[in-house]
């Protein structure tokens, strides 16, 4: 499960939605700065969105302002386009691959098993940044949440999940987390399998997943961690669909910009510990 | 702080709001059943509400259906009425004191320091049930939350708190908890003082606080416990108002009907453990 550690050299950035696109660009600037030396070209994938024509100009303007030499808004609305050789080629030459928000099920339905997705995974291994906001963040793990009303999520079966884009393993990612009060969604997931870390990202907040599987929080919002590994008990397996789920002993953290988390050690990192761990890596 | 244990013989029931009032009445039936032997009269206090005339007939019908011999809808809209001798007398003869929902700050503002409130506390000590829903539950502890948008609550100062009605100590109670995604409110409170237990009650769910300070969950919804006593770190004291609060290591439980919690031992109780503990008390 942690083979990611050995084989990936690029950074993943999962953004909770509503990131600043017009002011300081703190999060998107960091996305661009993590581009590898071999390419500062950016591809933007708005496949998740039903209104790509409204989102794309905004992101194109952001990455132009940040200094990208070329910006490619990929036209991938269906599976035929996800197999298109020209789209694959644009991915192969780019250092930043950015997924907009929308519906994560559109992302996986259109990109799953495609040449475009294989090319993105290859670029991530080779050092490119893969970033996504909202649905684009939620789709990143091997298993994703795609639906489930927060108000009623702690009932068996209320959270809809499926296979994600498989850029990262061992976690589930939820977005707009504090703003939409989605704690119950990650609690249901944690009860269903305590091995998986719950990462809830607030608006204008993001986690950088470093190649050594250290999370770094950036932005003005919060990143919530729900760690179920020490779950003491839950009734989930005995319930019928719709019945309320009990959980005993999940661990909760709230991280702010500069704080971090070690995914595999399940350890909260203060700003000092995080910078030590990240500088170790580069020395 | 735990002197409550020695001195109170009545039960407190805190309800998360929207409890069933027309079907099985599971929660309100339990409220009535816990009335002491010396009185099955009920007082209903709608002071929190701006529309008491709309709430009172409904609760009067419920308690009539449950078999109360007399039901007194107290007319306490201002401090003069909270000092009224007739209202005090109706409290003194009742076995169940029920607070409707509304605005908890109206409850404390009108009742704080009043003869009516002193009479209620005395009845609780002597064995009466004190129950409340929504605002009527939130106002019960020595310190209460009365405002704070959940979406933005994990920022210093975002949760407004004040003195409550002081029926129970050592905890803060929040209502409509899962439905309004209020986890962040209890996290901010826990960061500000980890000694205090966070009790978040969902709709059509309630906790019975037994005289031995054991919580029992009833109803169809959830009761969430946020236990901050092992908080490892938080930046809250260093922040300016409005800045995001970090917290490391809070413990999270979700209880369903039949499950319990030992307030002072900070221990989750399975259905078996709970019934053992509650039967010990009566033997």
């Amino acid at each position: 499960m942690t083979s990611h550690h050995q084989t990936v050299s690029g950074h993943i950035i999962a953004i909770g939605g509503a990131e600043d696109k017009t002011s300081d660009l703190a999060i998107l600037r960091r996305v661009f700065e993590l581009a590898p030396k071999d390419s500062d070209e950016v591809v933007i994938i708005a496949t998740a969105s039903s209104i790509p024509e409204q989102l794309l100009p905004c992101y194109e303007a952001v990455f132009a302002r940040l200094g990208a030499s070329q910006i490619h808004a990929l036209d991938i609305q269906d599976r035929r386009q996800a197999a298109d050789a020209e789209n694959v080629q644009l991915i192969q030459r780019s250092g930043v691959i950015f997924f907009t928000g929308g519906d994560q099920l559109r992302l996986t339905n259109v990109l799953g098993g495609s040449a475009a997705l294989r090319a993105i995974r290859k670029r991530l291994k080779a050092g490119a940044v893969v970033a996504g906001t909202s649905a684009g963040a939620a789709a990143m793990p091997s298993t994703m949440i795609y639906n489930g009303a927060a108000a009623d999520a702690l009932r068996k079966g209320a959270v809809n999940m499926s296979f994600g884009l498989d850029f990262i393993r061992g976690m589930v990612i939820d977005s707009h987390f504090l703003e939409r009060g989605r704690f119950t969604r990650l609690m249901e997931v944690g009860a269903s399998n305590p091995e998986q870390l719950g990462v809830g990202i607030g608006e204008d907040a993001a986690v950088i997943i470093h190649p050594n599987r250290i999370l770094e929080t950036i932005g003005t919002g919060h990143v919530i961690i729900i760690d179920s590994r020490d779950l003491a008990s839950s009734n989930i397996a005995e319930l019928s669909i719709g019945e309320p789920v009990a959980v005993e002993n999940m661990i909760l953290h709230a991280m702010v910009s500069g704080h971090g988390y070690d995914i595999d050690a399940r350890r909260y990192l203060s700003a000092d510990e995080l910078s030590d761990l990240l500088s170790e890596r580069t020395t």
Side-chain angles (χ1 to χ4, degrees), chain A:
Chain A
M1 203 190 80
T2 57
S3 60
H4 176 90
H5 190 157
Q6 306 301 327
T7 54
V8 168
S9 63
H11 290 77
I12 294 170
I13 304 189
I15 308 168
E19 69 283 358
D20 165 34
K21 297 182 242 337
T22 53
S23 178
D24 295 337
L25 313 178
I27 293 172
L28 295 171
R29 182 183 307 279
R30 197 71 190 280
V31 167
F32 186 69
E33 287 172 354
L34 286 167
K37 289 204 182 72
D38 68 358
S39 172
D40 71 351
E41 294 183 31
V42 176
V43 292
I44 305 174
I45 300 176
T47 305
S49 177
S50 55
I51 46 162
E53 67 287 355
Q54 289 174 39
L55 297 180
L56 287 167
C58 178
Y59 284 109
E60 289 175 302
V62 165
F63 287 109
R65 184 177 150 196
L66 291 172
S69 61
Q70 288 202 55
I71 301 160
H72 316 288
L74 297 197
D75 188 20
I76 304 186
Q77 299 292 322
D78 57 33
R79 293 186 59 79
R80 187 188 52 76
Q81 292 170 319
D84 180 76
E86 200 184 331
N87 284 330
V88 169
Q89 207 192 4
L90 291 171
I91 290 165
Q92 286 168 338
R93 58 190 274 185
S94 291
V96 176
I97 294 140
F98 187 86
F99 290 91
T100 72
D103 178 350
Q104 49 267 49
L105 210 51
R106 263 188 61 77
L107 268 183
T108 54
N109 171 258
V110 171
L111 290 173
S114 69
L117 182 56
R118 285 195 298 276
I120 295 166
R121 290 198 188 116
K122 213 166 167 184
R123 285 300 291 145
L124 174 62
K125 280 193 182 172
V129 181
V130 173
T133 187
S134 190
M140 287 176 164
S142 54
T143 304
M144 69 175 188
I145 294 176
Y146 67 87
N147 190 53
D152 211 34
L154 203 49
R155 291 181 181 264
K156 185 169 178 174
V159 175
N160 297 112
M161 301 179 73
S162 187
F163 287 95
L165 297 176
D166 202 17
F167 299 141
I168 177 78
R169 296 193 174 193
M171 65 172 64
V172 66
I173 294 177
D174 209 349
S175 58
H176 304 282
F177 193 75
L178 294 92
E179 294 74 12
R180 300 187 189 171
R182 288 177 162 172
F183 289 76
T184 49
R185 307 212 309 186
L186 293 192
M187 291 167 74
E188 183 179 337
V189 176
S192 73
N193 189 336
E195 186 172 22
Q196 304 298 313
L197 190 70
V199 178
I201 309 174
E203 294 182 357
D204 200 33
V207 283
I208 301 172
I209 306 173
H210 289 269
N212 57 351
R213 290 174 65 85
I214 299 297
L215 297 184
E216 174 184 356
T217 300
I218 59 173
T220 63
H222 288 90
V223 174
I224 304 292
I225 297 287
I226 297 186
D227 171 11
S228 308
R229 205 152 60 178
D230 293 332
L231 184 77
S233 70
S234 175
N235 59 356
I236 192 166
E238 288 99 57
L239 300 177
S240 301
I241 292 295
E243 290 186 322
V245 176
V247 305
E248 178 184 357
N249 207 60
M250 290 184 170
I251 293 171
L252 187 60
H253 307 290
M255 303 192 291
V256 299
S257 185
H259 292 209
Y261 193 78
D262 183 328
I263 299 173
D264 298 313
R266 301 274 168 130
R267 193 161 71 86
Y268 189 102
L269 303 168
S270 67
D272 288 346
E273 291 170 319
L274 176 67
S275 57
D276 286 353
L277 263 167
L278 295 180
S279 62
E280 259 172 39
R281 206 189 122 246
T282 57
T283 53

